[in-house]
Amino acid sequence: MSSIPILLLMLVFLLYVDANTRQNHSTLIHLDSSLSPNVTAKRSSWLSPSGLFAFGFYPQGDGFAVGIWLINQTEKTIIWTANRDGPPVSSNVVLQLTRDRGLLLQTEQGSVAISAVEEPSASAAMLDSGNFVLYNQDSRVIWESFKFPTDTILGGQNLSAEDELVSSVSKHNQSSGQFSLRMQEDGNLVAYPVNSSYAQYDSYWSTGTDNYGSSTQLTLSHLGVLFLRNDALVVRVLANSSYPNKNNGTIIHRATLDADGIFRLYVHRFESFNSSSTLVNWSALPNQCEVNGFCGLNSYCSSEGSKAVCNCYPSFVFVNPINKFQGCYRSFTNDGCRQVKEPAMLYRIDILENMRWGDYPYSVVPAKKEDCGKLCLEDCNCAAILYTNDHCTKYKLPLRYGRVSENTSATAFFKVITKNITTPPVSIAPEVLTESKRGLVLTLAICLGSISCLCFIFSIYSFFRYKHQVFRYRRLSENANLGLIEDFTLRTFSYNELEKATDGFREELMGSSSFGAVYKGTLPGGNKTIAVKRLEKVVEGGQQEFKAEMTALARTHHRNLVRLLGFCIEGSKKLLVYDYMSNGSLADLLFKSGLRPIWKERVKIALDVARGILYLHEECEVHIIHCNIKPQNILMDDTWTAKISDFGLAKLLPRNQSRTTMRVEETTGYSYLAPEWQKNALISVKADTYSFGIVLLELLCCRSSIEINVPSADEILLSSWVYNCFMAGELDKLVQGENVDFMTLERMVKVGLWCIQEDPALRPSMKNVILMLEGTMDIPIPPILSPVA
Ligand SMILES: *[C@@H]1O[C@H](CO)[C@@H](O)[C@H](O)[C@H]1NC(C)=O
Ligand SMILES: *[C@@H]1O[C@H](CO)[C@@H](O)[C@H](O)[C@H]1NC(C)=O
Ligand SMILES: *[C@@H]1O[C@H](CO)[C@@H](O)[C@H](O)[C@H]1NC(C)=O
Ligand SMILES: *[C@@H]1O[C@H](CO)[C@@H](O)[C@H](O)[C@H]1NC(C)=O
Ligand SMILES: *[C@@H]1O[C@H](CO)[C@@H](O)[C@H](O)[C@H]1NC(C)=O
Ligand SMILES: *[C@@H]1O[C@H](CO)[C@@H](O)[C@H](O)[C@H]1NC(C)=O
Ligand SMILES: *[C@@H]1O[C@H](CO)[C@@H](O)[C@H](O)[C@H]1NC(C)=O
Ligand SMILES: *[C@@H]1O[C@H](CO)[C@@H](O)[C@H](O)[C@H]1NC(C)=O
Ligand SMILES: *[C@@H]1O[C@H](CO)[C@@H](O)[C@H](O)[C@H]1NC(C)=O
Ligand SMILES: *[C@@H]1O[C@H](CO)[C@@H](O)[C@H](O)[C@H]1NC(C)=O
Ligand SMILES: *[C@@H]1O[C@H](CO)[C@@H](O)[C@H](O)[C@H]1NC(C)=O
Ligand SMILES: *[C@@H]1O[C@H](CO)[C@@H](O)[C@H](O)[C@H]1NC(C)=O
């Protein structure tokens, strides 16, 4: 069926090859030929034999750029620009064809190579196809502009896998603009706004050929057929503008990703040298508003006749009222929301019909249309809600890719601050405040007043409590020779004793902790097996602090924590003695193939670990942030109960080094560290929640969070793979056909995704994690994960 087009295409290629070989040698450009924008001194361009294309300097801004254009009496159509994002050059530069560096632009500041060539060039030519080529001694092409397209391809030109077209800023400015058309590795040709995350929801147009594979090329034939084709000769024709050539004229076809983001096929007809015409034969999208990113953040696009205009959402204003494409910002701050008891009173809801936008919601609630507004008012995170199909989907700012379209029935609800409540008018007589407003202001004042009062009391309490604790520790540790032995059943060992117990530190346990090596030993007398950890990276000296920390750790007793039996401190030698865990670490259990624990076992481990962390965070006397939760630090005892080790040690690292030490570990522990570690932000208990989330996902899928040996690139990063599977409703992929309870799996996946949110405030507390894991608390749909930098 498709053989006719294929035959035609082959014909097209034959014609093309033919055109190429009929190279007009009388227009060859020889070595040392040069151009300059200063036409009084030199010529400023080289023409193709047909005289339709020119290579050389064209005016750009207040200077010149080097490029190729299609000649027209009235207006140049720029096809290609060298170094498009560089500044315009002045009128006294010279462009020369050199032997060793190809085309060389000589400016006052120095010389810039326009074409990177690996072998000496001998000549160059501006071909009738619009391709500028450099030849070597044997007339073989060593460089061609067709290989480096900017926003346009011409007849005979290809776009191969990994190539892209990037639109220009405007018709008169060829610098890189806002849109990108990518020939993807999978064979799909997709248009995105540049600097987006290039995720599926960012794309606004594609050929849907994602099964064509990496050999796929986009080609525009000389006859004007725009098509995709792969090695298997599967062809998809996008446009066919093969105009019959009635009157001996020349026709040039050009496909351009225009500055407005739409990919178009143009036909230029040159009937006689005087008369030419330009037609748009095909346009990828009929409607400008469908181009994502055409209007900036927090604005939406609407069509007015053939024009598209950008508008701000209710109570938003333009970032730049002169250039409305740059988006909008909210004209009020939302800070008040979290500070008042009933935030709903501060706001009202504005409604827009037939609205849609991109991005994922952070929460989806099944509800009736009339309840959406209320849901948003009650939630400080909510900026707007989109109601579709009996669901209120909640969004935060910024809102992307908005547009009105008569074809969507969705209704948008925007949270808008009630008139001038937070900033009462200054000059206009304050006595005109109505009674109700006065009441509201009073309520607010009382609320804020009492909140700050409470804060004050709390801080005083905290201060005294802290003083008290410090005092107590000091007294304890000063209590000659550690009276704490009896108090907390923590033993002090001598170094000799431990050396003997471990047989001279002979048997090092696998997977040593980040603080130093761990050795197996046996206590003399009893048959008790112990694990002795030699602290290597901790602060020098500081005996008192060390003892204080040990005292604190001695009070931690929990089923899901490895028990500290005692310690040794002699000079710079610091050792900790723990219960020995006979069944190794969770890392061994999960990542060593063949040992994949059964589903029920994994669910139990997840809960055990969560309970251990909750104890550290909230239940033990001195609250502890673990800072280093990872499968290597989760050990299994002889009854296969998971126990967390290495807790409470982060404090022992030199104060300003703890961050760097955490980073030194990047090779092994990087993926478990919450983003705030890299950002130098405050570390809170939520950093542990993040690490727990990663461990939870690993536990569910029995694989490491970063795995190179996977069938497809999407699966390398566990978190995004899980997120994608979750959104696509394909959770079964995660467990490889294992017999699991899907309700539980979905619940645990949701918990994991909430835990690894970039914003610590969004991550749940460990208490809620446990409630959600146990199924006693409902779990909203987790928001989209921000791409990992
Ligand atoms: C393009 O159109 C011409 C004339 O309309 C037709 O003969 C030709 O088969 C078409 N080519 C392809 C590849 O569809
Ligand atoms: C080659 O170039 C010369 C001079 O520009 C022109 O007269 C001639 O027609 C060209 N020949 C072909 C085949 O294009
Ligand atoms: C152009 O070249 C001429 C002759 O070399 C020179 O006199 C003139 O100053 C140049 N103009 C500019 C703008 O560089
Ligand atoms: C072209 O656009 C870029 C990016 O907006 C800008 O930096 C540059 O100055 C513009 N160039 C001219 C000649 O207007
Ligand atoms: C080329 O010139 C003609 C008039 O000579 C004009 O109508 C046409 O729009 C021009 N084409 C382009 C692409 O500028
Ligand atoms: C475009 O692709 C075709 C088929 O692979 C090839 O024959 C042709 O040389 C390519 N054109 C250019 C300019 O590389
Ligand atoms: C894209 O990001 C780069 C680097 O941050 C920036 O220079 C460029 O202006 C951005 N482009 C657009 C269209 O926002
Ligand atoms: C594109 O070109 C084809 C072939 O000449 C023609 O049939 C078609 O109507 C043209 N489309 C437009 C929109 O001009
Ligand atoms: C096309 O060229 C042929 C031969 O060169 C000539 O006889 C014919 O009149 C030309 N047609 C037109 C429309 O110019
Ligand atoms: C080109 O246009 C000029 C005036 O616009 C006219 O005098 C001349 O005859 C035209 N030449 C051709 C070949 O059409
Ligand atoms: C709405 O749908 C109709 C029919 O599907 C279509 O013709 C029209 O262009 C669409 N309107 C918009 C604004 O997308
Ligand atoms: C707030 O008050 C000012 C001054 O009275 C007025 O110009 C502005 O429109 C008011 N804003 C709202 C949202 O009502």
Side-chain angles (χ1 to χ4, degrees):
M1 262 200 316
S2 60
S3 62
I4 294 177
I6 289 180
L7 275 178
L8 270 161
L9 287 172
M10 289 173 112
L11 193 66
V12 167
F13 286 127
L14 283 178
L15 281 174
Y16 171 64
V17 171
D18 190 37
N20 235 3
T21 48
R22 262 192 296 118
Q23 175 203 114
N24 191 333
H25 282 280
S26 63
T27 57
L28 266 193
I29 300 153
H30 297 285
L31 275 187
D32 298 329
S33 306
S34 59
L35 297 176
S36 163
N38 182 350
V39 284
T40 57
K42 275 203 171 78
R43 58 185 304 175
S44 69
S45 64
W46 290 310
L47 297 185
S48 71
S50 66
L52 291 177
F53 286 101
F55 175 94
F57 291 98
Y58 67 87
Q60 165 89 83
D62 51 3
F64 297 88
V66 176
I68 298 171
W69 62 93
L70 188 56
I71 291 183
N72 191 332
Q73 269 75 11
T74 49
E75 210 177 21
K76 290 179 172 131
T77 304
I78 315 283
I79 301 299
W80 180 81
T81 305
N83 188 18
R84 70 195 296 204
D85 290 319
V89 296
S90 72
S91 66
N92 49 18
V93 299
V94 172
L95 183 66
Q96 191 171 28
L97 181 60
T98 64
R99 184 174 168 278
D100 294 321
R101 296 183 66 191
L103 281 169
L104 204 60
L105 185 66
Q106 287 147 354
T107 68
E108 282 148 348
Q109 288 84 39
S111 53
V112 186
I114 298 284
S115 55
V117 287
E118 272 150 19
E119 47 184 312
S121 40
S123 58
M126 179 70 246
L127 302 181
D128 273 345
S129 58
N131 194 6
F132 187 84
V133 294
L134 295 191
Y135 299 107
N136 67 3
Q137 210 67 51
D138 314 322
S139 300
R140 201 163 49 74
V141 174
I142 54 174
W143 185 90
E144 55 186 326
S145 61
F146 268 18
K147 286 269 185 291
F148 307 93
T150 50
D151 61 352
T152 297
I153 58 171
L154 293 167
Q157 193 170 355
N158 303 316
L159 203 63
S160 318
E162 308 270 275
D163 286 348
E164 65 173 340
L165 298 180
V166 175
S167 66
S168 295
V169 168
S170 70
K171 214 170 175 181
H172 306 289
N173 182 343
Q174 310 298 317
S175 299
S176 302
Q178 294 180 57
F179 305 98
S180 150
L181 182 70
R182 300 187 155 190
M183 188 66 247
Q184 291 184 167
E185 192 88 63
D186 59 6
N188 209 357
L189 182 69
V190 192
Y192 301 98
V194 301
N195 291 359
S196 65
S197 50
Y198 301 100
Q200 192 169 2
Y201 73 82
D202 290 308
S203 72
Y204 57 87
W205 179 77
S206 84
T207 52
T209 50
D210 52 357
N211 53 351
Y212 276 35
S214 61
S215 65
T216 316
Q217 278 191 331
L218 173 72
T219 302
L220 176 59
S221 79
H222 278 282
L223 286 182
V225 184
L226 185 64
F227 62 96
L228 287 165
R229 191 188 59 161
N230 67 7
D231 274 352
L233 291 182
V234 182
V235 175
R236 161 75 66 87
V237 176
L238 300 178
N240 178 357
S241 74
S242 41
Y243 281 98
N245 201 349
K246 283 195 286 273
N247 27 15
N248 299 2
T250 312
I251 293 181
I252 304 283
H253 299 278
R254 139 178 100 87
T256 301
L257 180 65
D258 282 322
D260 61 11
I262 298 181
F263 190 43
R264 294 188 179 89
L265 176 60
Y266 289 87
V267 182
H268 297 260
R269 316 172 71 171
F270 299 87
E271 261 116 42
S272 65
F273 203 74
N274 262 9
S275 91
S276 63
S277 64
T278 308
L279 283 176
V280 178
N281 183 268
W282 172 82
S283 172
L285 287 169
N287 185 347
Q288 181 66 61
C289 280
E290 286 176 43
V291 175
N292 283 345
F294 179 71
C295 291
L297 298 178
N298 303 321
S299 65
Y300 66 96
C301 183
S302 64
S303 305
E304 287 182 2
S306 59
K307 266 183 60 193
V309 290
C310 299
N311 312 282
C312 288
Y313 294 121
S315 87
F316 282 73
V317 290
F318 285 112
V319 172
N320 177 356
I322 299 167
N323 184 349
K324 297 189 173 173
F325 302 111
Q326 289 178 2
C328 306
Y329 65 93
R330 189 153 67 175
S331 60
F332 62 88
T333 65
N334 197 24
D335 300 347
C337 187
R338 280 171 230 279
Q339 287 158 16
V340 298
K341 245 198 194 136
E342 273 190 74
M345 277 173 61
L346 285 176
Y347 305 97
R348 67 187 155 82
I349 288 292
D350 274 9
I351 296 181
L352 286 180
E353 294 289 347
N354 300 337
M355 183 62 68
R356 53 188 287 193
W357 54 68
D359 240 333
Y360 292 118
Y362 73 90
S363 166
V364 178
V365 188
K368 288 212 233 34
K369 184 171 175 181
E370 49 279 20
D371 296 334
C372 286
K374 191 158 159 278
L375 282 171
C376 196
L377 286 179
E378 284 166 353
D379 180 349
C380 284
N381 284 319
C382 174
I385 279 190
L386 210 54
Y387 170 79
T388 46
N389 303 330
D390 301 323
H391 284 81
C392 300
T393 53
K394 297 188 187 177
Y395 292 82
K396 295 191 211 176
L397 297 186
L399 301 170
R400 277 172 228 276
Y401 312 147
R403 55 178 171 265
V404 280
S405 161
E406 68 229 31
N407 286 355
T408 48
S409 59
T411 305
F413 299 78
F414 297 89
K415 187 193 271 178
V416 170
I417 202 150
T418 322
K419 280 180 189 170
N420 287 333
I421 280 246
T422 46
T423 51
V426 206
S427 54
I428 315 164
E431 56 266 30
V432 297
L433 275 178
T434 62
E435 254 339 282
S436 73
K437 275 187 180 168
R438 202 191 295 266
L440 202 58
V441 170
L442 198 67
T443 322
L444 267 178
I446 290 174
C447 280
L448 291 177
S450 29
I451 287 171
S452 38
C453 207
L454 273 177
C455 285
F456 181 68
I457 293 173
F458 181 73
S459 53
I460 290 192
Y461 167 77
S462 311
F463 177 74
F464 278 109
R465 193 181 150 85
Y466 170 76
K467 286 288 266 198
H468 176 70
Q469 302 261 34
V470 168
F471 178 71
R472 222 164 60 176
Y473 286 157
R474 194 167 296 152
R475 226 186 35 198
L476 276 170
S477 43
E478 276 166 2
N479 253 351
N481 234 350
L482 302 161
L484 47 92
I485 297 172
E486 304 92 50
D487 285 3
F488 305 114
T489 63
L490 200 58
R491 253 190 80 182
T492 41
F493 293 86
S494 73
Y495 186 75
N496 278 340
E497 215 175 334
L498 290 181
E499 198 168 20
K500 217 178 277 166
T502 56
D503 201 0
F505 299 105
R506 205 169 44 85
E507 190 179 346
E508 185 172 342
L509 293 172
M510 290 298 289
S512 286
S513 96
S514 29
F515 299 92
V518 184
Y519 303 88
K520 186 173 174 179
T522 317
L523 283 186
N527 304 347
K528 188 153 183 62
T529 327
I530 54 169
V532 178
K533 176 175 301 179
R534 227 173 155 150
L535 299 180
E536 275 147 18
K537 294 182 197 148
V538 302
V539 236
E540 282 301 306
Q543 294 219 3
Q544 296 308 321
E545 286 90 337
F546 183 74
K547 285 175 187 163
E549 283 311 323
M550 287 310 108
T551 318
L553 287 187
R555 296 150 175 254
T556 53
H557 283 295
H558 191 269
R559 209 174 81 90
N560 300 117
L561 297 183
V562 177
R563 199 157 78 98
L564 182 66
L565 299 173
F567 63 94
C568 155
I569 176 162
E570 277 181 21
S572 65
K573 297 192 191 93
K574 299 190 177 96
L575 299 99
L576 301 179
V577 181
Y578 289 99
D579 262 344
Y580 174 73
M581 296 288 120
S582 56
N583 279 323
S585 74
L586 181 60
D588 301 336
L589 195 60
L590 283 185
F591 308 143
K592 284 191 183 156
S593 54
L595 281 174
R596 191 176 175 120
I598 59 164
W599 173 246
K600 281 226 170 92
E601 190 72 39
R602 270 142 61 205
V603 173
K604 180 172 163 285
I605 293 174
L607 268 166
D608 277 347
V609 175
R611 289 193 184 111
I613 302 176
L614 172 66
Y615 174 81
L616 289 175
H617 285 182
E618 296 183 18
E619 291 167 359
C620 66
E621 218 164 310
V622 185
H623 298 178
I624 294 173
I625 307 178
H626 187 295
C627 295
N628 202 10
I629 299 277
K630 55 184 181 182
Q632 289 78 8
N633 280 340
I634 296 164
L635 306 179
M636 313 302 294
D637 74 0
D638 19 327
T639 63
W640 295 98
T641 303
K643 295 183 181 232
I644 299 170
S645 84
D646 259 8
F647 53 89
L649 300 183
K651 276 199 206 155
L652 295 176
L653 292 169
R655 189 153 301 187
N656 49 4
Q657 258 182 37
S658 64
R659 271 174 199 283
T660 32
T661 312
M662 287 299 164
R663 264 184 242 154
V664 168
E665 273 195 84
E666 280 178 9
T667 44
T668 53
Y670 174 74
S671 46
Y672 303 97
L673 287 188
E676 53 264 34
W677 284 105
Q678 273 117 302
K679 288 195 210 143
N680 254 7
L682 198 70
I683 300 299
S684 70
V685 289
K686 296 293 181 70
D688 285 348
T689 308
Y690 181 94
S691 312
F692 173 76
I694 298 284
V695 173
L696 178 60
L697 296 185
E698 291 183 332
L699 200 51
L700 299 181
C701 307
C702 284
R703 54 154 275 194
S704 166
S705 59
I706 298 179
E707 183 83 65
I708 310 297
N709 273 333
V710 285
S712 88
D714 308 337
E715 296 181 23
I716 292 180
L717 211 58
L718 180 61
S719 52
S720 49
W721 184 47
V722 170
Y723 184 79
N724 292 338
C725 288
F726 173 70
M727 289 309 287
E730 294 173 331
L731 286 182
D732 52 316
K733 278 190 181 173
L734 300 178
V735 289
Q736 300 172 357
E738 203 183 340
N739 185 16
V740 308
D741 164 16
F742 272 91
M743 290 279 282
T744 314
L745 175 63
E746 186 186 348
R747 210 164 59 222
M748 298 181 86
V749 164
K750 282 206 272 192
V751 174
L753 292 173
W754 273 109
C755 288
I756 59 175
Q757 289 300 315
E758 170 153 4
D759 179 1
L762 283 182
R763 297 175 208 149
S765 68
M766 286 315 289
K767 186 168 253 155
N768 286 344
V769 165
I770 291 172
L771 291 178
M772 292 193 285
L773 286 178
E774 286 171 341
T776 38
M777 186 172 165
D778 283 341
I779 315 172
I781 302 280
I784 185 177
L785 295 179
S786 6
V788 179

